[in-house]
Structures are given as C-alpha cells and as structure tokens.
Amino acid sequence: MTATRHLDLSAVRSVYWRRPTPYGDPGQAETAEQRFGIEQSRTGYTGMLTVLPGALHVNHPIRSRAAEYKPAQLAAAVRLGLAVPDTLITNVAEDARTFAAEHGSVVYKPVHGVHLAGEDGRHRTIWVGAVDFDELDDSIAVCPHLFQACVPKIADIRLAAVGDCVFATRIDTEGDHLDWRQDQRLITCSPVPVPRGIRAAVRDYLQTFGLTFGLTFGAFDFALDSDGRWWFLECNPNGQWAFVNEPTAQAISGALADILQKGAPYDS
C-alpha cells in the first residue's frame, strides 16, 4: 500500500502474489454489469502484474494457477518417485464404490479448493473426510470427485520450500482427525529434518511447474506413516505457513523477505 494509492510500475522489482482478496461481495448476488466489471478488473490488474519487465514473482500468477490442478500434481509426484496414495478421480458412482471396496478405508477430497459463501456471507469449505460407502450414489455424477486410499498416518508434515531452502514441520493432532486444518487449536507443530530424497523431489517438482527452485514458494503436504515414509498429498503454491512453531515461521518469513528484497529477474 502506498500513501497516494499510485505506483510507478516500472520501478517494481518484486511481486509477492499471496492469495489476493476476491473481487465483489460474496454475500450479495451479482448483476451482469457487476460481473463484467469484476472479470475485467481481475484480468486487467493480474495481467499487468504478470508482465512487469525484470520483476521477480513469488509466485508468478499464471504459473501458480497452473500448479493448483491436483491431477497434474499427483501425476508429477508419481513421475518423481514420491509415494502417492492410490487415487481415483471420477463422477461414476459404480467406479467409486468399486474403488472403496478394494481399498477399504478411503477419503474424499475436492478436486480443487472450495470456498462457498453461506447465507451470512462467511466462506465455507469442504474438509477431507472418510467415505461412507452408502453415500456413493448417482448424485456424484454432477462433477468429478477425488477419492484416495487412506494413509495410516501417525502425523502430518507441512513443508515450505522458500527459495533454495526447505522448512519442514511435523503436525500432531489431538484426537482422530483426518484434516488438521479443521481445528488448528488441536495441533502441535515441531520442526523435523527433511530426507535427502524428499528435498530433491521437491526441487524437481517445482521446476516441473515452472516454479524455479531458488526463486519461488511452495507449501507441500505429506502424511507420515509409522515406518517414517512421507506420502505426498498435495502442493499449494499459496499455502499457509504462519501457524507453525514460531522459530520456523520466522525463518520462512526471513527467507521470503530475502528473495523479494533481491528482486532477481524471474526465469521465464
């Protein structure tokens, strides 16, 4: 934010693209004219930021968007040798029932992040949840759904890749909760070392999506099993990190500040 709300774009060296607030009022219905203005604003402002000459983007909006597709994430993780739970994306009830029967314990995830506006205007989301076999009926035909074999995890891992540094946090949850994000009052965070193979795969993963390792950010989620194996779940190019233990959060903040301060040109 500037004092005058005016900015000389030619002087911008770095852009921190961090979950910009959606245009419009989610609590009110939009007219056709308002939708036109919202779409033009989103495309216009974002478009200008993507073409700033010589600027570093953390992360570049176009590449960040492309990296959000879960089917592409899972396929890349498999190619790079990461452990990935058996996964089915389908809108066919019979296929979903067969998958659930074969794997026993199965979880459901949205194919893409969900933010639904309630009647009070507050956003809602859909958490990872166990699949009830009896609920797998033809109602799922409306859109694709992601079903995944449940990993017998003992903890979760949130790994933040910042520049050429990686910061891993073990997340232990009080009670039996599949999705630690649902109530962060129940979690305990502690630093954990990153295995060499995971570090190398994270580097290659980011480069797969054009998010150049050393000049970028990615928040990786892993499930940790009792054998110490890290199971890849997803990577959010705009994931959260401030909730982890304070020393790690400060280190992530410092690493981000270092990258943005340098303003190195983005490798396009």
Side-chain angles (χ1 to χ4, degrees), residues 5-268:
R5 297 183 65 84
H6 292 278
L7 179 65
D8 180 2
L9 294 180
S10 65
V12 174
R13 296 187 300 115
S14 302
V15 177
Y16 185 31
W17 185 258
R18 174 74 178 118
R19 287 179 160 180
T21 303
Y23 292 94
D25 184 350
Q28 296 182 1
E30 295 171 349
T31 65
E33 290 78 9
Q34 288 173 326
R35 170 53 53 188
F36 174 82
I38 289 171
E39 292 297 335
Q40 295 300 305
S41 296
R42 179 185 295 113
T43 304
Y45 294 137
T46 303
M48 286 187 289
L49 290 175
T50 64
V51 295
L52 294 178
L56 165 71
H57 294 77
V58 182
N59 292 316
H60 194 285
I62 294 176
R63 295 180 180 178
S64 182
R65 179 64 175 173
E68 291 178 351
Y69 289 92
K70 288 186 180 178
Q73 292 187 13
L74 295 170
V78 170
R79 288 196 305 270
L80 295 171
L82 289 168
V84 177
D86 287 348
T87 304
L88 173 70
I89 299 176
T90 186
N91 67 340
V92 179
E94 184 58 33
D95 292 346
R97 286 193 290 266
T98 299
F99 183 80
E102 291 176 348
H103 291 83
S105 181
V106 172
V107 298
Y108 166 81
K109 303 177 181 180
V111 177
H112 191 266
V114 177
H115 298 284
L116 304 172
E119 294 182 358
D120 58 0
R122 297 178 60 187
H123 281 163
R124 305 290 192 271
T125 192
I126 297 176
W127 307 109
V128 176
V131 171
D132 184 341
F133 189 89
D134 295 333
E135 293 180 349
L136 297 174
D137 55 33
D138 290 338
S139 65
I140 74 172
V142 67
C143 66
H145 303 270
L146 193 155
F147 301 98
Q148 200 165 64
C150 186
V151 176
K153 65 182 181 180
I154 60 171
D156 289 274
I157 303 288
R158 166 58 64 90
L159 183 151
V162 188
D164 54 5
C165 301
V166 290
F167 305 90
T169 300
R170 172 172 170 153
I171 303 172
D172 291 281
T173 306
E174 179 183 340
D176 185 16
H177 297 278
L178 283 172
D179 195 332
W180 58 265
R181 301 169 303 170
Q182 193 166 355
D183 191 345
Q184 294 188 19
R185 296 171 299 180
L186 302 177
I187 68 173
T188 301
C189 297
S190 54
V192 63
V194 181
R196 182 178 300 176
I198 297 295
R199 181 186 294 267
V202 163
R203 178 197 61 220
D204 294 341
Y205 179 98
L206 293 171
Q207 292 177 344
T208 295
F209 288 98
L211 300 172
T212 307
F213 191 70
L215 297 173
T216 192
F217 174 87
F220 292 77
D221 283 322
F222 295 89
L224 178 68
D225 68 17
S226 58
D227 294 326
R229 193 177 193 186
W230 291 35
W231 291 82
F232 174 88
L233 300 178
E234 65 177 306
C235 175
N236 186 341
N238 276 309
Q240 299 180 50
W241 51 268
F243 68 90
V244 303
N245 52 293
E246 187 173 349
T248 301
Q250 290 179 348
I252 294 172
S253 178
L256 280 168
D258 286 344
I259 295 174
L260 293 168
Q261 189 277 329
K262 291 175 183 176
Y266 194 92
D267 181 14
S268 58

